[in-house]
Amino acid sequence: MHTPTPLSALRHWLEASHLDGIIVPRTDAWQSENCASNDEKLAWLTGFDGSAGVALVLKEKALLFVDGRYQVQARVQVNMDEIEIHHLHNEPLADWLTANVEAGTRIGFDPLLMTNAEFEKLSATPCELVPLNASPFDALWTDRPAAPAGLIREMPVEVSGKSSEDKRQRVAAVLAANNADYLAVTLPDNIAWLLNVRGSDIPTSPVPLSFALLGRDGRVEWFVNDNKLAELPDSVLNAFTIAPQNTFIERCQQLAEGKRVMVDADSAPVALRFAIEPRGEIVWQTDPITLIKATKNPVELAGYRECHHQDGAAWVNFLAWLSREVPLRAAAGQPLTELEVQAQQLAFRKQQPGFIEQSFATISASSSNAAMCHYHSSEASNKPIGHDHFYLNDSGGQYANGTTDATRTLAWGNVPPQQRLHYTAVLRGFLSLITLQFPSGTQGHQLDAFTRRPLWEMGLDYDHGTGHGVGHQLLIHENPHRIAKKVNPWPLVAGNIMTIEPGYYLGDSHGIRIENQVEIVESHPGFCKFASLTLIPIDLSQVELQLLSEQEKRWLDAYHQQVREALSPLVNSDVRTWLEAATAPIGM
C-alpha cells in the first residue's frame, strides 16, 4: 500500500478543510530557537531541521523560507523537486504572498505559533488568514513524540544574584509606570529568570516550557504542568499560584475584562490578542524582563568568568589532543572524523567541575561541511579531518554558574593561499571589533561593519550576524541585543554579555569563523569596551602575519598571555607544553 508523504497528506487535509494553503513555522508556542522533538513540525514536513524557517504549502506549490545561515543546508536536506527555497529576510513570506496570491486565498495558520508582529505583516497581504482551532499535525503526524515533561530545578540566589521576589517587584514597577494590570510572560527564559528556576524540556536549553502572568502587585500565576515540579521545594512552589499549562489562554480571557495587559508583540502568540482584545486592553510593549535580564548583576558576571576558565581548560585539553591525534591518525590512514572529534571534546568538558550539558549542538565541520555555518555532523555527512583543509568547531557548555559559546577554525598543514587570505581577513575583522572602544549606549548595528571591512575590501561578506547575547545558564542566543546589519535598537551597556563571531563561507569549499564571548565593561566615563570571557588560543598557523598591524599583533600576544596564565594551572599536566607553544608571542 502506498504511504502518502507528509506533504501530500497535508494537501489532502487542506482540501478537506476548504483551505488553499497553510503556514508551517519552524517554531513552537514559545518562539523557541531550539524546539522539543514534538514541535519539530517543519522538519517532519520538509526534512529541513535548521533553527529558523517557515513553510508555505499550497495546493500546487510548496515553499521553504530560510535565512542566510541555512541556504546551503536547506538545499541538501529538502526534496528540491517538491519544495522551492527562498530567503527568509531578502524575500520574506509576506512579500511573496503579496506578489503571488489572489485576493481571498484562504491560508490557515495556528495562532499559538504566530506572533502578533507576524500576523500584522501577513494581514496586509491579499490572502485571508484563517486561524485554526486544532493543529493538523495532531492527526497527520502519527508517530509524533510526546510533549516533554522535563523536571524543573531551583536556581539558587547564590548563583542568580537576586531573589525572585526582588525581580518580581522590579518588573511590577514597570507595570505600574505603564498603568498595566498584568504582564503576560510567554518567553521561557524570561520565566526562568523571573522565578529563579531552570528547566529540562529541551536539551541544551535549560528553560521550562510554561507561561506566566505577573500582576502589578508582584504576584505570579504560573501555568506549568505539575509533572515537572517534583524537584522544586515548597518554598518555591508556595510563592506562586500554579495552574495547568493549557489553561493560560483561557485564564487571560477571563481576567482581561476591564484590565490592561502588557503583551510583547514580537514574541507572544497572536492567540493572546484574540483572547484579550474583545474584553480588555493590550499594552503592546517589549517584555520588560528581556532588557532587565540582559544586564547581568555582579554575581552573574562572576559566574560567567569562572565557567569560562573551566571551559577554556576543556578546550585546551581538546586542542592539544587534536594536534597530536590528527597527524598520527592521518599517517596511519585512519583519519579522525567530525563525529569522533566532537565526542572527544564533550568528554573533556565532562571532566570540568560544574559542567551540566552542552549549550547547543556542537558544530564539528571539516572542509566543505563548514560552508554550512550551522552544520551538524551525521553518519551520512561525517567527513575526515586532514592536513590540507580547515576544520571548524563551534561549541559551548552549560555550567552551574554560566553559559559558554566559542568557535575556532583550525588547520594542521597548509591550506590553499586564497583560503589563508580568507582566514586572515576574518581574524582581522574579529580583532577590529574586539579591540574597539565605543560610547556606552551604542547599538549593535552601529558596530557591525567593523568586522566586515577586511572582507568587504576583498569583495566578500558573510550572511549572518556578528554577535548575540548569551544567557546566564539560559539560552545561547539571548535577546534583545544583536550585532548585525539589521537595525537593533537596544543600547549596549556595561554588564551585557555578547559574542563576536565574523566568518566567511564558500559553498563546496570551506568555512571559517572565529568567535569569543565577551563582557561589555566601562573603559572611560561614557565609554565601553569588550573584555574577553573566552580563553582559548587562536590558531595563527594559517595567518598571513605580514598583513596584521602592530596593534593587532600586540593584542594577540596579550590575549595569548592571558590565556596561558589563566589556564596553565587548570589544564592536564601533559598539555602545558602545547599551551606554551600555542600561546607563544608572534615572531618567536
Side-chain angles (χ1 to χ4, degrees):
M1 180 179 291
H2 173 68
T3 302
T5 66
L7 200 56
S8 63
L10 186 57
R11 285 194 168 114
H12 286 307
W13 178 89
L14 286 174
E15 186 174 356
S17 303
H18 308 291
L19 293 170
D20 301 303
I22 185 172
I23 296 167
V24 183
R26 190 270 172 185
T27 193
D28 57 18
W30 300 272
Q31 297 299 305
S32 303
E33 181 177 19
N34 297 312
C35 294
S37 57
N38 75 311
D39 277 314
E40 293 282 7
K41 298 172 289 295
L42 189 62
W44 176 79
L45 180 67
T46 68
F48 169 71
D49 62 5
S51 64
V54 60
L56 172 66
V57 178
L58 303 171
K59 292 179 179 178
E60 305 295 335
K61 184 189 290 281
L63 305 92
L64 175 65
F65 298 79
V66 298
D67 66 23
R69 297 171 296 170
Y70 295 119
Q71 289 294 311
V72 176
Q73 178 177 328
R75 285 167 170 78
V76 171
Q77 291 184 324
V78 310
N79 183 345
M80 298 288 289
D81 293 331
E82 291 185 332
I83 301 172
E84 297 178 7
I85 307 298
H86 294 259
H87 198 290
L88 188 63
H89 304 304
N90 296 347
E91 44 178 347
L93 172 60
D95 289 0
W96 192 93
L97 287 171
T98 299
N100 292 280
V101 303
E102 297 179 358
T105 302
R106 289 169 51 81
I107 305 293
F109 75 100
D110 186 335
L112 276 172
L113 305 182
M114 183 180 290
T115 68
N116 187 71
E118 293 164 339
F119 178 76
E120 289 290 341
K121 290 177 185 176
L122 294 171
S123 294
T125 69
C127 69
E128 177 190 349
L129 292 178
V130 181
L132 303 176
N133 294 321
S135 169
F137 299 97
D138 293 339
L140 301 180
W141 190 357
T142 55
D143 58 349
R144 186 175 185 176
L151 291 174
I152 300 171
R153 56 188 163 85
E154 183 179 10
M155 182 69 162
V157 70
E158 294 79 12
V159 181
S160 66
K162 294 286 184 181
S163 70
S164 174
E165 174 66 22
D166 287 343
K167 295 176 178 180
R168 285 180 273 131
Q169 291 303 327
R170 185 176 177 186
V171 180
V174 178
L175 295 182
N178 287 272
N179 193 27
D181 299 291
Y182 296 97
L183 170 66
V185 192
T186 63
L187 291 173
D189 58 325
N190 286 4
I191 293 171
W193 178 88
L194 182 69
L195 307 187
N196 272 355
V197 297
R198 297 296 185 267
S200 55
D201 285 320
I202 303 173
T204 77
S205 299
V207 295
L209 296 181
S210 59
F211 300 103
L213 281 168
L214 173 69
R216 199 194 299 196
D217 57 3
R219 295 182 182 179
V220 165
E221 295 182 50
W222 188 14
F223 299 84
V224 57
N225 292 337
D226 59 10
N227 59 355
K228 302 179 182 181
L229 304 178
E231 291 187 353
L232 285 179
D234 289 343
S235 59
V236 173
L237 294 175
N238 292 339
F240 318 117
T241 301
I242 308 294
Q245 176 188 299
N246 62 4
T247 64
F248 172 64
I249 298 295
E250 181 183 358
R251 175 62 176 151
C252 291
Q253 192 174 45
Q254 292 171 352
L255 61 76
E257 192 71 41
K259 301 295 185 182
R260 285 167 53 86
V261 183
M262 187 176 288
V263 178
D264 191 324
D266 293 318
S267 62
V270 73
L272 265 181
R273 172 181 172 178
F274 298 160
I276 296 169
E277 269 195 340
R279 299 160 182 82
E281 182 182 351
I282 294 180
V283 180
W284 293 110
Q285 182 170 314
T286 299
D287 184 340
I289 296 171
T290 300
L291 188 59
I292 295 171
K293 177 168 88 314
T295 301
K296 312 306 177 185
N297 65 54
V299 174
E300 291 173 316
L301 292 172
Y304 279 107
R305 297 173 197 136
E306 183 179 348
C307 75
H308 273 277
H309 281 71
Q310 273 89 57
D311 205 56
W315 263 97
V316 168
N317 291 336
F318 166 65
L319 293 176
W321 173 84
L322 264 183
S323 71
R324 181 182 68 248
E325 291 297 318
V326 168
L328 284 176
R329 291 285 296 268
Q334 296 179 320
L336 285 169
T337 65
E338 297 165 340
L339 289 176
E340 287 179 280
V341 167
Q342 72 181 49
Q344 185 60 51
Q345 184 183 34
L346 178 57
F348 281 121
R349 275 203 171 94
K350 287 180 176 179
Q351 295 172 3
Q352 296 302 313
F355 177 76
I356 299 172
E357 63 176 335
Q358 298 178 105
S359 54
F360 55 97
T362 294
I363 298 170
S364 176
S366 182
S367 60
S368 61
N369 282 344
M372 296 179 278
C373 56
H374 271 216
Y375 163 82
H376 298 295
S377 189
S378 66
E379 292 293 342
S381 66
N382 191 22
K383 278 184 178 288
I385 298 169
H387 276 74
D388 59 350
H389 55 255
F390 282 121
Y391 167 71
L392 186 153
N393 185 288
D394 186 347
S395 62
Q398 295 285 3
Y399 289 81
N401 52 2
T403 301
T404 71
D405 180 9
T407 307
R408 289 295 182 263
T409 303
L410 311 160
W412 293 270
N414 291 308
V415 302
Q418 191 67 21
Q419 294 186 26
R420 288 177 63 90
L421 290 175
H422 294 163
Y423 184 79
T424 303
V426 171
L427 175 61
R428 291 186 61 224
F430 168 86
L431 294 171
S432 177
L433 187 53
I434 204 167
T435 60
L436 186 69
Q437 180 174 265
F438 55 93
S440 180
T442 298
Q443 297 169 349
H445 60 278
Q446 295 170 321
L447 302 179
D448 182 71
F450 282 91
T451 61
R452 297 181 190 268
R453 179 174 177 174
L455 286 164
W456 285 353
E457 289 173 346
M458 301 170 67
L460 307 174
D461 202 358
Y462 52 94
D463 195 3
H464 62 72
T466 295
H468 57 82
V470 179
H472 181 249
Q473 203 195 118
L474 280 173
L475 300 183
I476 198 65
H477 292 157
E478 181 174 85
N479 289 325
H481 297 100
R482 290 287 186 273
I483 302 172
K485 292 178 181 179
K486 185 178 179 181
V487 171
N488 183 282
W490 305 104
L492 292 166
V493 298
N496 294 156
I497 302 294
M498 300 295 295
T499 65
I500 295 174
E501 49 181 305
Y504 178 68
Y505 313 90
L506 183 61
D508 299 320
S509 178
H510 61 283
I512 298 161
R513 186 162 62 253
I514 299 171
E515 175 187 16
N516 274 25
Q517 196 171 323
V518 293
E519 173 187 346
I520 298 179
V521 299
E522 185 177 359
S523 54
H524 296 290
F527 279 80
C528 290
K529 65 179 181 179
F530 297 111
S532 184
L533 292 166
T534 298
L535 297 168
I536 307 168
I538 297 171
D539 185 3
L540 301 180
S541 66
Q542 306 304 315
V543 176
E544 297 290 353
L545 293 173
Q546 74 278 8
L547 298 180
L548 299 184
S549 69
E550 289 305 312
Q551 180 190 16
E552 290 168 338
K553 293 176 183 178
R554 284 196 300 270
W555 187 92
L556 286 165
D557 282 349
Y559 174 69
H560 279 150
Q561 180 179 350
Q562 178 190 6
V563 171
R564 183 170 61 251
E565 292 175 353
L567 299 186
S568 288
L570 303 177
V571 299
N572 296 343
S573 58
D574 60 341
V575 306
R576 288 176 186 148
T577 301
W578 180 89
L579 177 59
E580 289 283 336
T583 58
I586 294 171
M588 290 184 62

